[in-house]
Amino acid sequence: MDLFANLAIGFEVALSPMTLILAVVGCFLGTIIGALPGLGPSNGVAILIPITFTMGLDATAALVLLTSVYYGAMYGGRISSILLNIPGDEPAMMTTLDGYPMAKNGRAGDALVISGVASFVGAFLATVALALVAPYLARIAYKFGPAEYFALYALAFATLGGMASNNQAKSALASFIGLGIALIGIDNNSGFTRFTGGNLHLADGIDFLVAIVGLFAVSEVFFFIESHGKGSAVGVVLGKVTVPWREIWSTRWTMLRSSAVGFVAGVLPGAGASLGSFMTYMMEKSIAGKQGGFGTGVAKGVAAPEAGNNAAAGGALVPMLTLGVPGSGTTAVLLAVLMTLNITPGPTLFADRPDVVWGLIAALLIANFVLLAMNVPMVKIFVRVLTVPASILLPGVTMISFVGIYSLSGSYFDLLLMVGFGVMGYIFRKMDIPTVPVILGILLGYQMENNLRHAMTLSGGEWTYLLSSPISIGLWIAAALGFIAPMFLRRFLRKPQMVTD
C-alpha cells in the first residue's frame, strides 16, 4: 500500500503541466544528444545544467528535466551505432555488432524500431524496479555509520571509471586528483585555507558545476576543433520505417532477461550501462549458440544490449538516491545537481522530500512512453540530427557553457576555471585518464574526509574501526574486487572492430 500511496504523490507532481512539458523537452533533447556521436548522456546533462539553473526551476522540475535528458540520450545512442557504426556513447558499442550489419542488409528501419522497443522495455522495467527496490535499500542505509560510508565512498572510487581506462593506475590517479581538488579552500576543522596559493577566489573551494561543465562540455568543444567536426556532418538516408511485429515478439524473453541483468549491473556502483550491455549481449549469444547468428545482423543481437544498457541507466539511480553514491558517470553529474539544490541524497531523502523522489519516478514512467513514441514513429526526424554541421553545433555548445556558468556565479574567475578544466579534460582524454573519478572526487571528497575524521574521533584514532562491522568489511572486499576485476574484463569491453564495406 505504501508503494501506491507514494506513486499517487509522485503522479500528482508529474502530471502537472510544467513537469510534463519538461519531461517531453528533456526526452527530445536527450535523444538528439544521444544520436550525435561522442556526446553521450554525461556531456548532454552537463551542457544543460547551466540552462536548468538559469530557468529558476525547483528541485523536482530540474531533476525531471535532466533525468529525462539522461534517459533520452540512452535511447538515442543506438541511432548512430546502427546507421554509421559509430557508437553514440560507450554503452551503445555492443549495439554496433548486429545493428550495423542489419543496416547494411537494408534493414536499418527494422533495427531502429527493434532497438527502440528494447530500450523502452529495459528503461520502463528498471524504473518500476527503482520504485520497488529503492525504499528498501534506503532503510538498510540507516545502518550506515561513518566507517561504512567511508568504505562505500572507497567502493565508488575503486569501481567508477575503471572500465573507462585501459590502466587502473590512471583511474586511481584521476580519483586522487579529484580528492585533491576537493581539499582546496577553507578547512572546516581548523579554519585555515588549504592549497589556495593565496588566491581569495579559491577560499570557498571550487564549484563542482564549473568542473563538470569544463571537463565534459568544454573538453568536447576542443575535440570538435581538433577533428573539424568529422562524424557530425554525415548525411544519412533512411527508407520506409515499418514495425517488425514478428521479430519484436520473438525477442520478448531476450528483452526481459536483459532488463533484469542490466538493472542489477546498474545498481552496482561503478558497473554502469557499459557492463550491462556487454553482459546481456554475451548472455544472449551464449544462450543462442552458434546457430543464433550473432554478429551477422540478428534482432536479438540488437535487443539484448539496448534493453541491458537502458535498464542499467535506471538501476544507476538507485545508489544515487538511496546512498548518495553515483552508480554511473551521468548520475555523478545528477548528484551534483541535487547538492547544488541543497538536497542531500541518502536514506532520509525518501522521508524528507518524497515529492522529489516519487515525482521523479512517476515522471520517468511517463517519459518512457514519450520516448517510445518519439523513437519509433519519429525516428526519421532524429536521423536528420546526424546531418548537423559542426559549424552550428560547436558555437552553440560553447555559448551555452559560458553564458550558463557566468549567470550562476557572475565571476570571470569561474569562466577561467571552466576553460582550465576543459583543457584538463582534453588532455586526460588524450592520455586515456578517465574524468569521471575526478568529478567523483570533487563531489564526495568533503563527505569522505568528514566521515574519516568522525570515524577516527569515535575510535580514538584506531584505524581498525574502519573494519569494525560486517557491512564495512563487505564494502572493502567489494572495493578491492571492483578495482581488480576490470583488469580481466576490459578486453571484453573494448570497442568492437568497425565493420568496413
Side-chain angles (χ1 to χ4, degrees):
M1 293 297 294
D2 287 343
L3 175 63
F4 293 109
N6 289 327
L7 283 176
I9 296 173
F11 278 108
E12 185 179 351
V13 175
L15 291 176
S16 66
M18 185 62 177
T19 306
L20 283 174
I21 291 172
L22 289 173
V24 172
V25 170
C27 291
F28 185 80
L29 292 176
T31 304
I32 291 176
I33 290 168
L36 292 169
L39 280 183
S42 297
N43 291 329
V45 173
I47 291 170
L48 292 176
I49 283 177
I51 295 180
T52 302
F53 285 112
T54 55
M55 291 171 64
L57 300 177
D58 60 28
T60 305
L63 201 56
V64 166
L65 174 61
L66 294 177
T67 312
S68 297
V69 171
Y70 176 27
Y71 267 38
M74 295 302 297
Y75 272 72
R78 77 198 201 285
I79 295 176
S80 58
S81 299
I82 291 171
L83 297 179
L84 305 178
N85 202 26
I86 303 173
D89 55 359
E90 189 178 352
M93 289 192 299
M94 304 305 293
T95 307
T96 63
L97 297 180
D98 279 275
Y100 186 64
M102 284 186 73
K104 289 186 68 177
N105 294 333
R107 303 186 59 212
D110 290 349
L112 288 169
V113 171
I114 292 169
S115 63
V117 173
S119 297
F120 166 78
V121 172
F124 180 78
L125 292 179
T127 307
V128 173
L130 169 65
L132 294 172
V133 173
Y136 292 100
L137 187 58
R139 293 173 190 172
I140 296 174
Y142 276 112
K143 299 180 180 179
F144 279 46
E148 287 77 15
Y149 269 111
F150 183 78
L152 182 66
Y153 294 144
L155 170 62
F157 282 110
T159 54
L160 196 60
M163 292 292 182
S165 175
N166 290 323
N167 190 316
Q168 288 298 87
K170 294 180 179 179
S171 182
L173 174 64
S175 298
F176 285 120
I177 290 174
L179 289 171
I181 294 173
L183 295 176
I184 295 175
I186 297 175
D187 180 4
N188 289 332
N189 192 50
S190 65
F192 292 106
T193 57
R194 302 182 297 188
F195 311 115
T196 62
N199 191 319
L200 293 178
H201 292 286
L202 295 175
D204 291 330
I206 292 178
D207 191 330
F208 38 70
L209 292 182
V210 174
I212 287 172
V213 175
L215 286 171
F216 286 104
V218 178
S219 67
E220 194 65 40
V221 170
F222 291 142
F223 270 93
F224 268 114
I225 294 173
E226 181 186 42
S227 64
H228 302 289
K230 292 180 181 178
S232 63
V234 181
V236 179
V237 178
L238 186 64
K240 184 179 180 180
V241 177
T242 58
V243 180
W245 294 108
R246 181 176 296 179
E247 284 190 302
I248 290 175
W249 179 251
S250 69
T251 60
R252 63 191 184 281
W253 296 115
T254 294
M255 294 180 189
L256 291 175
R257 285 192 297 264
S258 299
S259 298
V261 173
F263 180 77
V264 173
V267 171
L268 299 173
S274 299
L275 183 60
S277 64
F278 163 76
M279 290 176 63
T280 52
Y281 184 89
M282 298 305 295
M283 176 184 68
E284 291 302 317
K285 183 178 180 180
S286 63
I287 292 173
K290 294 182 179 179
Q291 304 300 321
F294 275 63
T296 62
V298 295
K300 290 183 179 180
V302 174
E306 282 302 308
N309 67 40
N310 281 274
L317 292 173
V318 175
M320 184 198 79
L321 293 173
T322 59
L323 300 174
V325 174
S328 66
T330 310
T331 51
V333 179
L334 293 173
L335 179 63
V337 175
L338 284 174
M339 295 172 68
T340 303
L341 294 169
N342 294 320
I343 295 176
T344 304
T348 59
L349 180 62
F350 286 77
D352 296 342
R353 297 297 302 270
D355 57 319
V356 173
V357 177
W358 294 104
L360 171 64
I361 292 174
L364 290 178
L365 289 171
I366 297 171
N368 277 303
F369 288 96
V370 173
L371 284 165
L372 179 64
M374 285 184 179
N375 281 270
V376 176
M378 296 173 59
V379 70
K380 296 184 74 171
I381 296 176
F382 293 109
V383 169
R384 294 179 183 175
V385 173
L386 298 176
T387 65
V388 175
S391 58
I392 295 176
L393 190 63
L394 177 61
V397 172
T398 306
M399 180 188 69
I400 290 172
S401 300
F402 277 82
V403 174
I405 289 298
Y406 188 78
S407 65
L408 289 177
S409 65
S411 169
Y412 78 93
F413 186 79
D414 282 347
L415 295 181
L416 296 177
L417 272 181
M418 182 182 70
V419 174
F421 276 110
V423 174
M424 177 192 290
Y426 173 80
I427 294 173
F428 276 22
R429 289 169 64 180
K430 279 289 189 180
M431 299 175 64
D432 192 29
I433 298 175
T435 55
V436 170
V438 178
I439 293 298
L440 193 65
I442 298 173
L443 283 174
L444 300 182
Y446 177 77
Q447 292 98 324
M448 194 173 188
E449 181 185 12
N450 279 351
N451 278 285
L452 178 60
R453 280 179 169 171
H454 192 190
M456 292 298 98
T457 300
L458 291 175
S459 65
E462 182 58 51
W463 67 270
T464 55
Y465 179 74
L466 299 175
L467 301 168
S468 60
S469 72
I471 294 177
S472 61
I473 293 173
L475 291 171
W476 281 113
I477 293 173
L481 293 176
F483 188 77
I484 297 172
M487 300 178 188
F488 300 97
L489 294 176
R490 189 174 294 113
R491 62 190 183 94
F492 296 110
L493 291 175
R494 285 176 180 170
K495 188 176 181 179
Q497 201 69 28
M498 295 297 178
V499 180
T500 56
D501 293 320

